[in-house]
Amino acid sequence: MQRSTRPAAALALLSLLLGACLGAAHQAPAAPRFDGQRALEHTRSVVALGPRPAGSPALARTRDYIRKELAALGLTVKEQAFEATTPAGKVRMVNVRAMIGGPDTARRLIVAGHYDTKLFKDVSFVGANDGGSSTGFLIELARALKQSPPSIPVELLFLDGEEAVRLEWLDPDNRYGSRYYVESAKKDGTLQQIAALVLVDMIGDKDLGMKRESQSTPWLTSVIWDTAARLGRKEFLAEETPIEDDHIPFLEAGVAAVDLIDLDYQPWHTPQDTMDKVSAKSFQSVGDVLLAALPAIEKRISSQAR
């Protein structure tokens, strides 16, 4: 009579299943995944509100939309309101902040973009790429990071008042939100808690091609561009160009910063900057690269803290 092997086989199968479960439990958490289509749809919702210059009712509604979307993710949203002196008089402006992965008192990485659009009196400028793309991108980035929190705190910062009130870009009529944020951090002694800044601005256009911003911090720029090369993302170009943007006040305060922007955009500051000029593919490229670069950025920041 042949001896039965069923109990032994069942025991082996059970051991295999238990081993697989234990192995899965010890695996590293899945990397966050960015969805360019979601970013595009958030941008569409914001652009539907119309022109959104600083101090306008439409920008207040944009702020409500940002707050609602971030709160739905379980994030605590804080507003940094201030009164800016502009060529058009006093204007109330509001930076919007949310932390992922830790308190805002910890040494952190900021990912920022502006959510206002330039003021034009004679034309309707809805800024799908210039103001809209950075807003939609940050909201989707919040969802991706919330699913898999980074090892260091990341602050998502929606900046108000990046655009000049006058037609020309002349200091100090620009970058009201970033200058106020930095000056406030200096005054309350929290500037040293900002380890680095990644700025996104005009990153949604269909023909995306971002040059290396030459004033940006070299190591931070290299981490992102090297990651893009590894992923085969052609939207990150080798050429350099200097650009005045919201990262400059941080650089001037000694904070490592990089600007991701494509200024070679024909509809820039024209009524043609509309939703048909932006694409999910461009959002996806920037989102994939930034998330893939995060571990190297975090490693550099952590080593500097020792």
Side-chain angles (χ1 to χ4, degrees):
M1 184 176 179
Q2 188 175 3
R3 186 175 174 180
S4 174
T5 61
R6 288 182 181 177
L11 185 59
L13 178 60
L14 180 60
S15 298
L16 182 63
L17 290 173
L18 286 172
C21 292
L22 289 172
H26 287 87
Q27 287 179 356
R33 295 182 62 86
F34 189 92
D35 189 332
Q37 187 61 43
R38 286 176 180 264
L40 182 70
E41 292 310 316
H42 285 306
T43 302
R44 192 185 311 279
S45 296
V46 167
V47 169
L49 298 174
R52 305 171 302 284
S56 68
L59 194 63
R61 290 192 291 272
T62 305
R63 202 156 47 245
D64 290 340
Y65 181 84
I66 294 169
R67 187 188 306 109
K68 175 179 70 71
E69 292 297 325
L70 297 184
L73 296 171
L75 298 178
T76 299
V77 181
K78 296 181 179 180
E79 295 187 353
Q80 185 185 49
F82 62 100
E83 191 173 70
T85 301
T86 80
K90 300 285 188 180
V91 177
R92 182 179 184 270
M93 300 185 184
V94 184
N95 294 328
V96 180
R97 310 168 59 198
M99 292 293 301
I100 297 177
D104 58 7
T105 55
R107 188 164 166 81
R108 65 194 185 276
L109 169 69
I110 297 177
V111 184
H114 74 96
Y115 71 105
D116 63 310
T117 57
K118 184 165 179 58
L119 173 65
F120 288 98
K121 296 181 180 179
D122 301 323
V123 299
S124 178
F125 177 70
V126 297
N129 193 32
D130 192 6
S133 67
S134 49
T135 307
F137 180 91
L138 288 177
I139 295 172
E140 167 54 16
L141 184 64
R143 186 199 64 83
L145 290 175
K146 190 67 169 60
Q147 287 186 334
S148 182
S151 63
I152 65 169
V154 173
E155 177 181 353
L156 300 175
L157 176 59
F158 299 77
L159 292 164
D160 199 351
E162 185 268 350
E163 299 286 4
V165 172
R166 291 172 295 193
L167 186 61
E168 305 85 3
W169 176 280
L170 297 172
D171 289 342
D173 178 30
N174 54 62
R175 298 172 293 182
Y176 293 97
S178 55
R179 287 190 286 108
Y180 183 83
Y181 185 97
V182 170
E183 288 304 314
S184 295
K186 288 179 181 178
K187 289 178 182 177
D188 63 21
T190 61
L191 184 66
Q192 67 274 13
Q193 295 168 358
I194 306 171
L197 168 92
V198 176
L199 179 68
V200 292
D201 187 1
M202 297 174 63
I203 43 81
D205 59 282
K206 288 182 175 179
D207 188 25
L208 185 64
M210 295 177 295
K211 298 176 182 178
R212 297 169 70 112
E213 200 288 306
S214 58
Q215 302 168 93
S216 296
T217 304
W219 74 260
L220 188 53
T221 303
S222 293
V223 166
I224 293 175
W225 258 255
D226 289 349
T227 302
R230 175 167 55 83
L231 297 181
R233 294 297 189 177
K234 305 298 184 183
E235 298 90 348
F236 291 74
L237 308 177
E239 297 96 320
E240 290 192 358
T241 186
I243 296 174
E244 299 295 313
D245 208 345
D246 274 321
H247 65 308
I248 298 297
F250 289 86
L251 287 172
E252 291 176 344
V255 176
V258 63
D259 189 13
L260 308 185
I261 184 171
D262 177 11
L263 260 184
D264 294 328
Y265 176 62
Q266 190 171 358
W268 180 51
H269 285 180
T270 74
Q272 285 70 51
D273 185 6
T274 47
M275 282 303 301
D276 58 310
K277 308 301 190 309
V278 297
S279 77
K281 179 176 179 290
S282 296
F283 284 113
Q284 192 69 54
S285 175
V286 179
D288 286 347
V289 169
L290 182 54
L291 289 177
L294 265 182
I297 296 173
E298 293 167 354
K299 183 177 180 180
R300 175 70 180 243
I301 290 172
S302 297
S303 67
Q304 290 174 342
R306 296 191 185 102

